[in-house]
Amino acid sequence: MGTEIGTQSVTREDFARFGQRLAAETQYARTAYDHGLFADAQRVAGFELEACLVDRGCLPAARNVSFLARLNSPLVVPELSRFNVEINATPQQLQGSALSRLESELTATWQQCQRVAAEEQGSLIAIGILPTLRDTDLSLANMSPSRRYAMLNDQILRLRGGRPLTLSIEGADRLATTHTDVMLEAATTSFQAHLQTPACDAARTYNASLILAAPLVALSANSPFLFGRALWQETRIPLFEQAVDCCDPGHPEYMRVTFGSGYLGADPTELFAENLSSYAVLLPFEMPGEIASCAHLRLHNGTIWRWNRLLVGFDYNGRPHLRVEQRVMPAGPSIVDMIANAAFYYGAVHSLTRRAVAPERELPFTAARANFYCAARSGLGAELTWLGGRRIMAGELLARELLPLARQGLAELELAVEDRRRYLGVIDGRLRSGRNGAAWQLAHYAKYHDFLRLTADYLAHQSRIVPVHEWPI
């Protein structure tokens, strides 16, 4: 999705040519997997962090064009709205001090971003949904000047027959509204952890990532408010799903933003075949390169936002690889919180993938999916179904079973001892206190009833780079 497109107008012939190339590349991916052409050697970690630009009054600041021009960093790129940007990480082999290297680079990039934002009379904030965001901020006038975003909006509305997008979320409060464009998506910002995995492990890693989605959401929830209403602990989940909804109402498993339709079998490229058969093309633009570049497959895959997404990439030597993009975690609250979330995910998914009995055999997909939405609604207080059909509270599951699994996994991956202690110590502190970002925001609002103060205090605490469970109210 990061690739700019050449024109905004398309024809039926464009769709036909794209479809032919997409089918050829999908078949190539399956054949390449069957013949062992995907990299099968190492694990590599990385991430994408979406963030909001705000002015001195903590309101959205639609200035990413001038901000990015001043910043001039290849690691920071535009997002859907003019008040959003995306920070990328340099991939690190998942061993030794990889986690602290990721934190050091993010800290340096973040500080550089803050210096430039200050020159623009503002700040950058990492938070799942900005509490001061107004419905009027989500207009096409605030869409980033990119042809691919304009085309994406046009095509989604075309598939909806011009019908407006309807948003309905019920939590502590209720929110119901409509939008005539896809800009609701710009209200959501996330921290997306990437894990390149040996091709032989890709299917099991993907399935384990689905199973971990619910505990990860409970652990990291940081989006309790939207338009002045308290909704889900991680309101970003239903918001994003409804913001680009253009599926057949009879097949909710094929929504553009979805938990998915099932676990993977032995061949992970099944997902790309599902993309081809079940999802309409939104950006039908011919891309340069041979079939082996999978350019059309990758572009189409980028318009299907599974909460766990399988990606095709290429190593420095040009060999294709597979990686899982874990998309369930929100942005924030602090840099160390986000790296700790990633550390927990990398360790826990490694341990689950290595179990003698695959966890997907012990937890039906329907239960994993139900867990996900329950965790998004209730956070650490969610009651989940776990392996073997046990019912357990999310906080208890994380503390008693998954945190030890994460420790074991990071040790097996030979991550630095000090990094393991530091980041999993943050997770332990969060679980002992019962305070994730959503809990802190809710407690702050219950005390002061002021979204501007909440956002200003959040921003001040975030600048200290200490974990959220140590933030005062």
Side-chain angles (χ1 to χ4, degrees), residues 96-159:
S97 59
L99 295 170
S100 53
R101 289 197 301 271
L102 287 170
E103 182 186 4
S104 294
E105 182 185 63
L106 176 56
T107 300
T109 305
W110 188 260
Q111 291 173 344
Q112 182 185 11
C113 286
Q114 294 292 20
R115 287 192 292 270
V116 172
E119 295 171 4
E120 299 259 328
Q121 310 302 309
S123 300
L124 198 63
I125 185 170
I127 190 167
I129 297 175
L130 186 66
T132 56
L133 185 74
R134 301 153 300 192
D135 200 338
T136 52
D137 294 316
L138 302 175
S139 68
L140 288 180
N142 280 339
M143 178 178 279
S144 288
S146 166
R147 289 185 295 275
R148 76 178 188 275
Y149 292 139
M151 176 56 69
L152 192 68
N153 180 71
D154 291 347
Q155 291 301 309
I156 286 175
L157 291 176
R158 178 184 65 83
L159 290 175

Side-chain angles (χ1 to χ4, degrees), residues 352-372:
L352 285 181
T353 303
R354 287 289 178 271
R355 288 179 89 247
V357 177
E360 57 266 37
R361 296 184 180 180
E362 298 185 56
L363 185 72
F365 175 80
T366 53
R369 181 170 56 195
N371 282 346
F372 176 64

Side-chain angles (χ1 to χ4, degrees), residues 49-51 126-128 189-191 220 222 236 329-333 338 458:
L49 168 61
E50 298 162 347
I127 190 167
T189 52
S190 62
F191 176 76
S220 63
N222 193 32
R236 185 179 56 94
M329 294 177 284
M338 290 183 283
Y458 180 106

Side-chain angles (χ1 to χ4, degrees), residues 21 24-25 28-29 32 37-38 289-295 298 312-314 318-320:
R21 183 62 182 262
E25 291 177 6
Y28 170 81
L37 299 184
F38 282 95
E290 301 296 324
I291 286 178
S293 71
C294 294
R298 296 163 74 193
V312 174
F314 292 88
R319 188 175 185 184

Side-chain angles (χ1 to χ4, degrees), residues 444-465:
H444 190 287
Y445 187 75
K447 184 174 181 178
Y448 298 110
H449 302 283
D450 186 338
F451 286 115
L452 287 173
R453 177 167 180 173
L454 187 160
T455 307
D457 286 352
Y458 180 106
L459 188 58
H461 295 321
Q462 186 172 81
S463 68
R464 296 168 50 225
I465 315 183

